[in-house]
Amino acid sequence: LCAGAQEMSLSFIKTICTDLFCWLHFVPLCSGSGDELKNKTMASLRHLKNFLHQCLKQETVVSTDLPLVQELGTTLREWTQIWHKLYVSNKTTLFRNVQQMAYSLIEYRSQIVSGTLPNDDLVALKKKVTAKIDYGNRILGLDLVVRDEAGNTLDPERTSTVSLFRAHESASHSIDERIQEEKMRLQNLEKRRQTLFSGVHTYSLLINLRNFVCNIGEDAELFMSLYDPDKSEFISENFLVRWGSTGMPKEIEKLNNLPALFTDLSSSDLIRQRLFLVCQIIRVGCMELKEGKKHTGGLRRPFGVAVMDITDIAHGNIDDECKQLIMSPLIPSRVIGENEPLVAVFNKVIATREVNHKGQGLFVTLKLLPGDVFQVQKHYPHFVDRTTAIVRKMGFPEIILPGYVRNDIYVTLLQGEFDRGKKKTPKNVEVIMSVLDEEGNPMEKAIFPGAGYEGITEYKSVIYYQVKQPCWNETVKVAIPIEDVCRCHLRLTFRHRSSQDSRDKSEKPFGMAFVRLMKSDGTTLPDGKHELIVYKVDVKKADDAKTYLTLPGSYVEVEEKERQMGKSFHHAGIIPITKDSFQIATLTCSTKLTQNVDLLGLLNWRSNTERLEEILQKLMEVEGGEIIKFLQDTLDALFNIMMETSEEETYDTLLFNALVFIISLIGDIKFQHFNPVLETYISKHFSATLAYQKLTKVLNYFVGHAEDSAHTERLYAALKAFKYLFHFIVQSRILYLRWVPLRNSLQEACKHLLFEDQYRECSSVSQVFTLELKMYVIAYVFFPSYSRYIFVENLSFPHSVQLAKFTESIPDFQMVRQKLGCLVKIVESNLFKLPDCRDVLLPLITDQLSGQLDDNSNKPDLEACVQLLSTVLDMLDCKDVGPTSGHVKLIVDRLLRRVNRTVINLSLDSPFIGHYLACMTAILKQMEDAHYAQYISTFKTRQDIIDFLMETFIMFKNLMGNVFPPDWMIMNLHQMKVFLRAIDQYSDVLNKYFLDSAHFHLQLWNNYFHLIVAFLTHKSLQLESFSLEKRNKILNKYGDMRKSIGFKLRDMWNNLGQHKMKFIPAMVGPILEATLVPEPELRKATIPIFFDMMQCEHHFSTNHTFQKFENELITKLDQEVEGGRGDEQYKILLEKTPARIQSAIKVNFYKEKKREDIYIRYLYKLRDLHLDCENYTEAAYTLLLHAELLEWSDKPCAPHLIPWDGTQGWTQQELKERLFQEIMCNLDKGKMWEKAIEMAKQLVKLHENQMFDFIELSQLLKQQAQYYENIMHAMRPQPEYFAVGYYGQGFPSFLRNKMFIYRGKEYEWLEDFSLKLLKSQFPNAVKMTSTSPPGDNICNSPGQHIQCFTVKPVLNLSSQFKDKELPEQILNYYRTNEVEKFQYSRPFRKGEKDPDNEFATMWIERSTYITAYRFPGILKWFEVKSMSVEEISPLDNAIETMELANEKLSNLVQQQACDRSLPVHPLSMMLNGIVDPAVMGGFSNYEKAFFTEAYIKKNPDHLERIEVLKHLIALQVPLLDEGIRIHGEKSTEQLKPLHNRLIHARPMIYIYIYKVFVLVYFQPCSLTEKKKSRVGSVVMPYIMSSTLRRMSTISNASSGSGSSDGNSTRPAFQESVFTASCFLIFRNKLPHFQHCSEG
């Protein structure tokens, strides 16, 4: 008990754990990322989730769950991983679909494990679950799951190959249909409509009345029906709703839910040009609204109509998913005319469509459903329940199935004309209709005004006020038992209704009319209009049914009597006839009542047996639709006659012809939908046990007298109907044997039926018929669709012999499909399961298939052949069929080669390729080892074996994974397993027949090795690419087949011996593919083959090298790696490296290996990658590497030097010139004009001094001139440089813990660059926030950490520019190009921070990085080879700050002076930024920090640098002066206030600098006047910091030479210029300064 309790508890825990596991995976993302509830939920459930994982892992009790429950858990876990990926990749639609499907599966799983479902519900739920799993797997790209009929997963070990293939095909087809339905649901509705109409014959329209809004004040009746305005006819009966005066339904429980199902609609009904839903509203109350109590009540008066156009819904043009619609407009009849018929009113409404309904109307929802009422109730139980009213069509559906019973008569009160009599105004006529029997007794509840309510006994019409010719058009349904129809009639009485209650009570009926429901000949009242005779009712006899039934009810009856009597009819006067007239219309919808006399005669044949021959003759003249309507009753009557006259032969031929006539009707295209009806009748309703005797006798007679021209037409008709005739014969014989089991055995009966009668029949035909008609008969005799009825029980060995003889008697290559189809049925029967019978039948079958699949066959019936072959193989794979080895051998000997060649000849897109491949796989699977050896021995020569093996190897290689869809995992793996065994068997054949030198066949062995490699590298076997669940499934079921085939590869290679050299270097590539498969044991087995190849080539080659092997290995390895192949280390190295880095690595590698062909190939790959990214400069430098391999000579280019898009025959000079042109073009696009000029100069020298092509030279010089002009005038943004460090063990080795410098694009800032780097290349990396070098904890961590910051390139001018005045445009180029040294400055503090002056303690840590190559180059990045760190003091920092500020201001002033079109805003911002800090104490910070006596005494060695800082500050004065002057010239009105502030601030700066720093002014003239003849060449001697530092050095030198005692604290240079400086500055400025100071 304890153990059981423990198992139960653990099982319960597992159930809860699995449910919660699924819930935890699928719930958190529902509220979306960033949702606070999600974060709280996940935080609180994390521990619970871990606990559940432990519970699931630790459970050791064997699970007793259903397999489907386990599959549900596995599926949900697999979907979870994909679901999260969809969330991350933002695939919203698919994400939501998976989410909803997962919720459904979780709910289904809970229902299954609850154990509370009834068995039927459980089976239905299983089907629903498996369908949803299969659909979800397909849309997620997962493998197809194949199942048996119970929904359990098929085990391929216990399933035949053919059955496995068929299961895959069926499952895939079902899923495709589901996906197609889903697509059609989302696609345009016209296609949905076409699909809907093409597949279904009967439809239903669901309508739900939600509300009726109209202020009537009285009770009302709503009659809703479908209406065709073009034909002015109602399609359906009425749906009746009774509405109370309070504005609620009479049945309050139906409020907001009044459903009705309009059923039996056909496609022809829905595709009408227009279709409307109409509602007639009848109020029930007084004659006039708001009349008092003294007025008559309970009168039915017309009130209004409502219409809705539902054409688009019926056609499927708009969605019908239960949308609430308003039937409008609602038109009270009194608006148009109160006494106008309601039908006329809504005809006008439909025509006008523009009446203001003022919010009144009927609120309804509609939905179109496929199927009749029973199908809808079955498939849509949530829409249709017991409360749903069923509204019938006034007519029959397209197909009337057996068992469909209906007996409805629709009566429409059309119109009348009534004499006013003694009244001054027309009467208010009310028609009262009732159904009476011949005694005058009323039939209770026989009249149905509308669906939704029970029947009533008496129906009262609507009353039109004072109308002489009222037109009602009211339709009611009369439903009475079939046996009562013959004695019932309709009675209609007419009464005047008064609005005054007292008068109305005294009013009595003034007229009466009646009509019989069945005519005197037994036929039902004909459909159509009937003019009734109106009798007076003021005599007592008018109420006596027996009296008035002796009189004619209509004027048609009067005419019939006159025809019968041959004279005019005179009324006897028993009941007087009025002058009034009245019309009704009737429509009979009955499967039991007919309006055809001839058909009625057959149905009532027992009452007229003497006329039976005439009745049967006239049956064949009855209209087909009437017979189809009463198909079951008609067939029952025919077979009843046949059974009751079994002892006679009088009627046999007539009955046979009548049956053929009916079957031929169903074969007509007009009634082709009734084929299933006939099938259903034969299988479920047919009961004539002796019919087979009559039918076979007549059929044999016709065949025996075929030469008689009188019977030819009948025989021809019989042959056309032979399918169903034979079905009737077989079914009759089966029924007979059930009743008489002891008199005859079934085997004898079938023998008699099939082999005596039918064989004799065919023999007779063959004697007298032409060949065409003979084949026609044989085709129908052996038509497969009915041959299954023959093999209902086990037959014996003699029967198989007779079957074989009979089949052989049919001429070859004629009626092949029918013959093979019949053989399929024989194989499917129990006869084929007997080994003795198989011995007889199988040779016949193989002969037939061999003849069809023979190479000489012109047009084999591939479909019929593969159906027969697959059925045979499927039967032979069953467990209960006895020994099959001999039969398999027969199939192998006769069919294997032909099946192989059929597969080879079929294209991969052939619809039969999969079927034949499955058959071939089935044959190979069922072959034993002895079969292989025996089959090879049947070949007469070695060449035959070679041909067979060659075609087999090539076929295997081409078929693996290319026929069955990728998601057919089980089928593909099953095929691979069978192929593996076959390859193993054929390997022995190679070793036995083709290994010795005399018979060695190189091509055969070569094909064999390529097949093995293709098998080994096939994608379906690469377990590493699969999920863990899928990998474990494959390993458990099939193992790793790669290892088995890999070991075979090693063994076969070792067996080659001296022949190995023949496969070098050809087999290097294929074996390399095998070694790249990441399976350790496989590599151990195959990698040594390389060393063996090296030894073989070294031993057998003349120069004892392995050059061929090496070259081939390098080439193939390059191709494989480029294709993404390799083990995990290769993947980490290559897959996570950008493509440009891969190409650059390979470029360097192949350059070192002197493989110029591969080297150039990768150069152009790298170029293309650069061009794709618009890296034109790097593309140019890449092409330059190719140009450097060429000479300026006329030597022809070697083929490997010419790029793939080049032309053969170029000289090296021609190619190099073309490369230079392309390089210059790319440099021009990259704005690297200096480098382009350098390239152009080489071409100029070539054309000027060697080629003397002056025309080309002139173009080059123009191009070169343009480059120079671009340098001086074109805008050229300077790129930023970024330092990137990759820290952590998660990076590949060539990146790990290293730093690189990247060259950014134009206008690319640090944020954009780092975001692109992290998002596109290393999405899992963590960005470091510090720029300090990381510690060991980060460098040794398993993750990825990226450090990224901006660095400044260090200017590296060439010697030609040293100590020369250069334009700023030239200098800007060299500031960011031709650089390899970069600096990064990081501020830090030493000592205590001075709150009054932070500059005193602000130090700079400067890191200098030197890269392996200069920028720009062939890459956007280069590795840092060395790094140094230095500390910059606060004073040096201040000097550098001032240098940069002066340099920036100088550049800006020069640009504004040279190009007046430039905007002035940058200059405004620069000047304002200098002036404001200066006024606010910018320069004073330097004074407080560095110019104090205390600082100088403390740091006497800083004196020279202090003077340099003073000079830098002083040099800002002329720059400011010139900048303010230019600013004034270019200022707009908006900038005038700013300019005035700058002018007022300038004197304060000058005075302050003079007083504190003793300003030195080098140039008294305007800065922009210097060398104006050279545009853009204005360069001050203070523009560069190196100039100032040189000046500082000169100062020091002068100080050393001019002061012998060394006591001088002021440099001589400064001393010499001091007086001149003061004079120069204040000569013109001092008065202005004084004026400002005074101010």
Side-chain angles (χ1 to χ4, degrees), residues 421-487:
K422 298 179 181 180
K423 297 182 181 295
K424 296 180 181 180
T425 58
K427 299 176 182 177
N428 307 325
V429 180
E430 178 186 64
V431 183
I432 304 170
M433 184 173 71
S434 58
V435 182
L436 307 177
D437 62 11
E438 56 193 4
E439 301 292 334
N441 301 317
M443 303 297 293
E444 298 292 332
K445 299 182 179 180
I447 301 175
F448 295 81
Y453 289 91
E454 292 184 355
I456 56 178
T457 304
E458 188 176 75
Y459 175 76
K460 295 181 179 180
S461 72
V462 173
I463 301 170
Y464 289 94
Y465 186 70
Q466 295 182 354
V467 176
K468 182 179 180 181
Q469 297 177 341
C471 183
W472 290 277
N473 277 313
E474 298 178 51
T475 302
V476 297
K477 180 173 69 176
V478 175
I480 53 180
I482 185 67
E483 62 273 9
D484 294 334
V485 174
C486 61
R487 59 189 190 91

Side-chain angles (χ1 to χ4, degrees), residues 643-672:
M643 291 293 291
E644 295 185 21
T645 61
S646 59
E647 302 299 329
E648 304 174 19
E649 297 182 359
T650 310
Y651 309 110
D652 290 358
T653 303
L654 289 173
L655 289 169
F656 184 89
N657 292 337
L659 183 60
V660 169
F661 170 73
I662 294 173
I663 295 175
S664 300
L665 275 179
I666 296 175
D668 191 294
I669 190 171
K670 182 180 179 182
F671 304 109
Q672 61 182 347

